Amino acid sequence: MGGLRGVRRIYAAFFLGLFGFLLWAGEFERLKGFEVGLFLQLDPLTALGGFLTSHTLYKGLALALLILIPTLFLGRFFCSWICPLGIVNQVLSHIFHRRRAVESWEENRYRPVYRVKYYLLVVLLVFAGLGSLQTGLLDPIALIYRSFTLSLLPAVDRAGGGGWFALPAVFHGGVLIGGVLLAILLANRLITRFWCRALCPLGALLGWCAQWSLWRIRRDVDRCNQCKQCLRACQGAADPDGALRHTECHLCMNCIEACGTQALHYGLAGSRSSIGRPLDLNRRRVVEVALAAVVAVPMTRSTLSPRSTPTPEVIRPPGSLPEAQFLARCIKCGLCMRVCPTNVLQPALLEAGFEGLWTPLLMNAVGYCEHHCVLCGQVCPTAAIRPLSVAEKVGAPPFTKPVRLGTAFFDRGRCLPWAMDVPCIVCEETCPTSPKAIWYETVAITSRDGRKVTLKRPFVQPELCIGCGICENKCPVTDLAAIRVSSVGESRSGDNRMLLNQQSGWIEGTIDTGLG
Amino acid sequence: MARRSTTNPVLETEPLLSRRAFLGRAAGLTGVAAGLAVGGYVVYSDQPIRQGAVQVARFKDFRVAPDPLRPVMAVVRGTRVEAMVQESVGKLGGVARFIQRGDRVLLKPNVGWDRQPEQAANTGPELVEAMVRICREAGAASVWVTDVSLNDPRRCFARSGIEAATVAGGGQVRLPGRDDFVATEMGGKVLKVWPVARFFHEVDKVINLPIVKHHSLSGCTLAMKNWYGVIGGQRNRLHQSIHDSIVDLAAAVRPTLTVMDATRVLKRNGPTGGNPADVAREETIIASLDEVALDSFCLSFLDLAPEAVPFLALAEARGLGKVAWRDLNVVRSQVG
Ligand code: SF4
Ligand code: SF4
Ligand code: SF4
């Protein structure tokens, strides 16, 4: 150890530790003001994608400039020094390292397939430019956050490594999400940092910025005796033994330590420094890929989705923007699902269309929206879920209306007092509004066996219902509740309404703040 | 083991087995075969699922010996809750009658909802703090405070102020986690074996700290109904026979003492409330050894008659107490 590689390892350990700590601190009891979304805010791809869809750089996302600007000067330092996925890949690649020199030379040479990440970046940016934010699917920070939160940590928790969640958390399709990460990690067995070299769109963005970097790995051509020890150690497939591909170099600094003749250094060019190699990208291919993406966007839009047609099960968290703006901001990171105390927030599969994959939905079979909770909006790094105050959410002064997520409907064929002459009204008991949105009529009936039964039969008063879903969650008809919330009446939409008196003076693209 | 073949595998022949090697291999295989046969015999079952013996716990009887010379119920009006609690417990014979030095005490307030004290959906934190302190001063080794909440328990305990009150009084909050329930024999008419928070089986004394609230189905939530917060499982089914369930619970859990919070009373929209306009200040604390009498007494706060609340008569029929509280030794006083 020692030298720049040693310094890099210290940074990597620090940032990986910080990532782990912020994951741990995301449990709602521990939140206490920690910036749990810090890594997402530092992420230039999130910032750029969000800028392209919304033409704003929302609050904490400005931190991404702290990464982007130094990259212009220093190169892709983010990838080996800060990125949790990069660091994990680096550690695994180190463990899987080939012993034999010929094998590692073969493995670490540059391959044209490594251009794929640039094409993926182009596709994601074209999508964003046309209003569809899909960067989160492949953005390493969103990806690792999502995988840990929705799959790996719940698994660890369940296997007895408890303390990550207060309740045993379950997530819709979580194994798919975790499976993607496992595949990425195992790929290191075949090719060192395969994800970072070939697929990572953030790496591509930073590599593109690194084209003009002033500080680089430089090889003194006089000192170098072509032993290729540097290539054996190279994690970036950046050809340190030849003309350095600085767009591919992760600045892991392994090569410097590996060199027996001190021919390599990181810094400005000396009089006998080797040349660098420009970005290996064919302009024609880029244009082709971009055109394909331009066609793909309207294709994803012409499928049935809540964007075109209100969808009952697409119930979004409180404070969510109208669907089009929501999809233009949500990066599918899962932070909202991490902090939700009731586990009601679940990653969508195709419920919200292809664009909505892994965006948050409320599934009231699992939990419900806690009346005075506003955590999801507080942590969402992109304000796809706008931060709400408790007063705004519940409609306390100065607000005049609560935020509605949808409306509850009775299924009288399943409801015990309606269908089976059995007393119940648990739904009414748990309804949190005052006055309660569920009311009942007391009826005296004669049951099949001639008994006189007095029953309270419940009704929903839609003007009062906020769609929180606790009635559905607590209904004793457990598999398919006898009262269920659907999205109609949600505050964020001007179209998904049923009652004339629920109009809100909504104008296209604005948010119903419930004020006045 | 694997030898790298140097000859053409198509022509390679298997080496012949010596007698000794044959006997060795055959003995090994016989051993494995015998192991399989024995193993199969051991795990053979004519049932599809192996049933372990389930341990079913029982509630202790936490009551103290009756004392005919002392009142059964003490009603105290005032504004300083701690003094009111002291006074009411004092009237029943003083805390020393209920708590001995070294006792492990469990307090069961109503902390069902994510609501603030002013909304009167949960027992007031002032009562909890006073009771924790009184138990500590009486020499209790530990004072635990628990409930099985309906909303998220951590939010309920935090926002009700009960977590802070418990700590301030010198007690500990015990939130029942996923592994904290044990199967318990309730021995009731509708409740047979239910999961119960294990803390109830780990203490010497249990004190019930309910609050007076409106409830649409049962009419009211008082002392006996507060035992809903003892059990886990799918307790939303209890509503289908709510009066029998309340009585079953009250028959199963016999507390050392009950101290009712009637300082703030939720008159409407119960049991969740939410609007301060639904709350009336009644400024009363009642300590009682008879939950039926206590619940019957508290009906006046909600303008209910005993006939409107069937669980009272059912409880009396089960021998749990007296509906006609006026026939008992009830004392009233005023502090502050
Ligand atoms: S809505 Fe949830 S998943 Fe989407 S960006 Fe916000 S926190 Fe992340
Ligand atoms: S506001 Fe509702 S959906 Fe959002 S975190 Fe809280 S409980 Fe979950
Ligand atoms: S909780 Fe379910 S079954 Fe019971 S009254 Fe309400 S809808 Fe009907």
Side-chain angles (χ1 to χ4, degrees), chain A residues 157 166 428-429 432 436 474, chain B residues 115 154 178 216 236 239 272:
Chain A
D157 209 55
E428 190 265 2
E429 171 178 7
K436 288 174 182 289
K474 304 285 182 188
Chain B
R115 295 286 197 207
R154 299 157 297 174
R178 45 183 131 157
S216 326
N236 50 9
H239 290 63
T272 52

Side-chain angles (χ1 to χ4, degrees), chain A residues 27-29 157 162-163 165-168 341-342 368 370-373 375 416 422-426 428-436 440 456 470 474-476 478, chain B residues 113-116 119 149-156 159 163 175 177-178 214-219 225 234 236-237 239-242 269-275 278:
Chain A
E27 216 288 314
F28 110 93
E29 251 185 333
D157 209 55
F165 295 89
L167 305 165
T342 73
Y368 60 92
E370 193 72 79
H371 195 206
H372 286 90
C373 174
L375 284 175
L416 302 176
V422 171
C424 180
I425 64 164
V426 171
E428 190 265 2
E429 171 178 7
T430 56
C431 178
T433 62
S434 177
K436 288 174 182 289
Y440 54 83
K456 297 188 162 119
I470 192 171
K474 304 285 182 188
C475 174
T478 46
Chain B
W113 309 96
D114 176 9
R115 295 286 197 207
Q116 288 165 324
Q119 296 166 323
S149 310
L150 262 121
N151 288 154
D152 182 86
R154 299 157 297 174
R155 291 188 62 92
C156 293
R159 291 219 326 139
E163 186 174 356
L175 292 187
R178 45 183 131 157
H214 163 259
H215 188 279
S216 326
L217 192 64
S218 58
K225 172 118 184 358
Q234 208 197 341
N236 50 9
R237 283 183 296 153
H239 290 63
Q240 294 158 35
S241 195
I242 197 162
N269 218 53
T272 52
N275 188 345
D278 299 333

Side-chain angles (χ1 to χ4, degrees), chain A residues 317-318 336 339-342 344-345 362 368-370 373-376 393:
Chain A
C336 50
V339 300
C340 179
T342 73
V344 68
L345 290 187
L362 278 84
Y368 60 92
C369 184
E370 193 72 79
C373 174
V374 289
L375 284 175
C376 46
K393 185 183 176 197

Side-chain angles (χ1 to χ4, degrees), chain B residues 18-229:
Chain B
S18 70
R19 176 184 305 263
R20 194 188 163 83
F22 169 79
L23 289 176
R25 287 260 281 275
L29 286 173
T30 310
V32 172
L36 281 172
V38 172
Y41 176 77
V42 170
V43 299
Y44 176 80
S45 162
D46 56 1
Q47 294 298 318
I49 294 174
R50 194 169 276 271
Q51 297 269 336
V54 182
Q55 292 284 333
V56 178
R58 268 175 195 285
F59 279 105
K60 294 178 208 155
D61 186 344
F62 299 105
R63 285 176 295 178
V64 293
D67 181 349
L69 300 176
R70 302 222 179 254
V72 172
M73 187 153 85
V75 182
V76 180
R77 292 189 49 90
T79 47
R80 289 180 299 114
V81 173
E82 172 138 19
M84 291 154 73
V85 178
Q86 287 277 12
E87 166 83 2
S88 64
V89 176
K91 282 281 186 327
L92 299 191
V95 65
R97 182 177 169 202
F98 305 107
I99 308 291
Q100 273 74 52
R101 190 156 289 282
D103 271 353
R104 292 162 302 169
V105 184
L106 183 63
L107 307 185
K108 163 61 181 83
N110 187 328
V111 202
W113 309 96
D114 176 9
R115 295 286 197 207
Q116 288 165 324
E118 301 71 43
Q119 296 166 323
N122 303 311
T123 302
E126 305 88 354
L127 169 56
V128 176
E129 181 174 344
M131 208 61 227
V132 174
R133 184 160 291 135
I134 290 169
C135 293
R136 292 295 286 181
E137 282 163 7
S142 61
V143 182
W144 292 350
V145 177
T146 194
D147 194 11
V148 181
S149 310
L150 262 121
N151 288 154
D152 182 86
R154 299 157 297 174
R155 291 188 62 92
C156 293
F157 273 82
R159 291 219 326 139
S160 63
I162 288 182
E163 186 174 356
T166 305
V167 174
Q172 287 161 283
V173 167
R174 289 336 265 313
L175 292 187
R178 45 183 131 157
D179 305 323
D180 288 329
F181 288 91
V182 288
T184 302
E185 177 61 57
M186 308 298 289
K189 189 169 158 207
V190 290
L191 301 184
K192 307 296 180 198
V193 174
W194 277 79
V196 165
R198 64 180 168 86
F199 314 125
F200 285 88
H201 302 312
E202 296 174 353
V203 293
D204 307 305
K205 300 286 162 61
V206 168
I207 298 180
N208 191 7
L209 299 179
I211 179 171
V212 181
K213 285 199 290 181
H214 163 259
H215 188 279
S216 326
L217 192 64
S218 58
C220 50
T221 288
L222 299 166
M224 287 194 275
K225 172 118 184 358
N226 198 32
W227 296 123
Y228 264 64

